[in-house]
Amino acid sequence: MCKDCPRFCQVDRKISSGYCGAKNKIVVSKIIENFMWEEPCITGDKGTLAIFFAGCNLKCKYCQNYKISNSLQGEEYSPEEFAKYLNRFDYSKYNTLEFISPTHFTSLLIETFKKFKCSIPVVWNSGGYENVEKIKEISAFVDIFLPDFKYSDNKLAEKFSLVNNYCEISLQAIKEMSLLKKNIIEKGVMRQGVLIRHLILPGYIKNSYNVLDLIKNNIPNPIISIMGQFTPINDSISRTLSPLENKAVLEHAQKIGLNNGYFQDLASAKKDYIPKF
Ligand code: SF4
């Protein structure tokens, strides 16, 4: 049984695959050096070495990176091969090494880290739907957790991400991340910690209010990033966020005292903000 994520698919990935479609090889869709399209505390002035893994354990219907989240095409590596590949980079050129959508490869990446030591902070950028036991294991190698907290409403999670327990499972995972990695920020750059992201879904601002309330009530001194950049890619949600919706969510964050972090300008809500794959 695969335990890399809380779907716990009844599969042996050496011979078969589950919801995410991944087997026993790491699949990398794209690598972007000096990637700057993340929060400034992650990119610093040199950017991140961004590794986009193919596939996803959530596959949200509105996914902004749908071209890679819905496909398992890319370069395939065993953990040994991937460690060798990562060892080739000059890490003085980047602020962080960022793994984007890595959850469905957690066990293979733990094996990779046993053969690869990174000299800069490693960022685990995930959809938030994580198995707490695996988070504990990977935390030995990861410095910064960058989870989404997408849904407070499991009906929405079911509708868009085919999972009926996202809220409680992700909250538990983020709580664990916060216990494991206290925030350390030097000159505006995160060296260790947790940055919680929330993408506001157009038409569903109550979901956002409740996500923010849950963060406020469960995570001590959280650093958050509220994103208003939603770009429709199909009919699942077919419009961008209105300025009024964005304002309402940001005001709610302020009202409940969540003011440490990033609050996105709606000017970035366009397709060319999404990396091209
Ligand atoms: S990582 Fe993939 S195979 Fe494993 S439990 Fe999650 S969805 Fe299923």
Side-chain angles (χ1 to χ4, degrees):
M1 178 162 99
C2 176
K3 295 181 179 166
D4 274 11
C5 92
R7 289 191 192 267
F8 297 123
C9 301
Q10 301 285 331
V11 293
D12 174 356
R13 284 183 36 184
K14 288 195 183 84
I15 48 176
S16 177
S17 58
Y19 177 85
C20 65
K23 287 192 166 174
N24 65 341
K25 286 276 175 105
I26 296 161
V27 189
V28 173
S29 174
K30 187 157 186 97
I31 293 189
I32 303 180
E33 297 189 54
N34 307 107
F35 187 61
M36 296 300 288
W37 290 0
E38 305 290 27
E39 290 80 356
C41 71
I42 301 292
T43 60
D45 54 0
K46 293 190 274 192
T48 183
L49 173 58
I51 310 224
F52 294 83
F53 294 99
C56 182
N57 69 325
L58 281 172
K59 293 196 267 192
C60 307
K61 289 183 180 163
Y62 52 80
C63 178
Q64 311 286 280
N65 287 342
Y66 69 100
K67 281 189 183 154
I68 58 171
S69 63
N70 276 289
S71 151
L72 272 158
Q73 289 190 347
E75 290 295 320
E76 291 191 2
Y77 301 91
S78 68
E80 295 73 24
E81 289 165 341
F82 194 46
K84 223 181 255 180
Y85 181 75
L86 290 175
N87 273 320
R88 294 206 318 234
F89 288 93
D90 172 3
Y91 288 95
S92 68
K93 286 163 49 182
Y94 321 106
N95 191 60
T96 44
L97 167 63
E98 184 181 6
F99 285 179
I100 300 174
S101 192
T103 304
H104 51 306
F105 296 119
T106 302
S107 295
L108 296 168
L109 291 171
I110 288 169
E111 291 309 307
T112 301
F113 278 120
K114 290 178 184 166
K115 296 178 170 59
F116 160 69
K117 179 137 180 52
C118 191
S119 55
I120 56 175
V122 175
V123 182
W124 189 261
N125 174 347
S126 76
Y129 191 61
E130 305 262 16
N131 173 359
V132 164
E133 292 312 312
K134 288 288 170 190
I135 285 298
K136 285 181 189 164
E137 280 185 60
I138 200 73
S139 74
F141 310 103
V142 163
D143 303 282
I144 298 169
F145 285 109
L146 181 55
D148 292 332
F149 192 12
K150 295 171 186 287
Y151 310 111
S152 56
D153 179 349
N154 280 330
K155 284 199 185 113
L156 281 189
E158 177 99 58
K159 178 175 177 178
F160 292 125
S161 307
L162 300 180
V163 67
N164 61 13
N165 58 359
Y166 179 95
C167 178
E168 54 272 29
I169 294 282
S170 297
L171 184 60
Q172 200 188 358
I174 294 170
K175 273 184 181 175
E176 188 63 37
M177 292 172 189
S178 304
L179 283 174
L180 290 163
K181 300 288 166 185
K182 298 287 165 218
N183 294 326
I184 301 176
I185 297 181
E186 291 167 2
K187 295 183 186 159
V189 174
M190 193 177 257
R191 295 287 162 212
Q192 179 185 285
V194 183
L195 172 55
I196 308 165
R197 279 179 169 171
H198 175 66
L199 175 67
I200 310 167
L201 299 176
Y204 299 101
I205 60 170
K206 275 197 186 141
N207 176 60
S208 295
Y209 292 165
N210 293 334
V211 161
L212 296 177
D213 290 344
L214 285 168
I215 294 172
K216 174 71 183 169
N217 294 333
N218 289 280
I219 312 292
N221 307 313
I223 304 177
I224 58 167
S225 177
I226 302 179
M227 304 186 293
Q229 74 192 58
F230 185 92
T231 305
I233 51 115
N234 55 31
D235 288 342
S236 62
I237 299 179
S238 55
R239 66 171 175 87
T240 57
L241 194 69
S242 74
L244 216 58
E245 286 173 312
N246 194 52
K247 188 166 174 269
V249 174
L250 298 189
E251 280 178 0
H252 185 79
Q254 208 169 30
K255 192 175 96 189
I256 63 172
L258 284 182
N259 42 28
N260 190 8
Y262 302 89
F263 306 93
Q264 199 165 41
D265 187 333
L266 280 191
S268 61
K270 53 187 181 184
K271 273 192 179 150
D272 60 11
Y273 189 77
I274 301 172
K276 297 195 172 43
F277 296 105

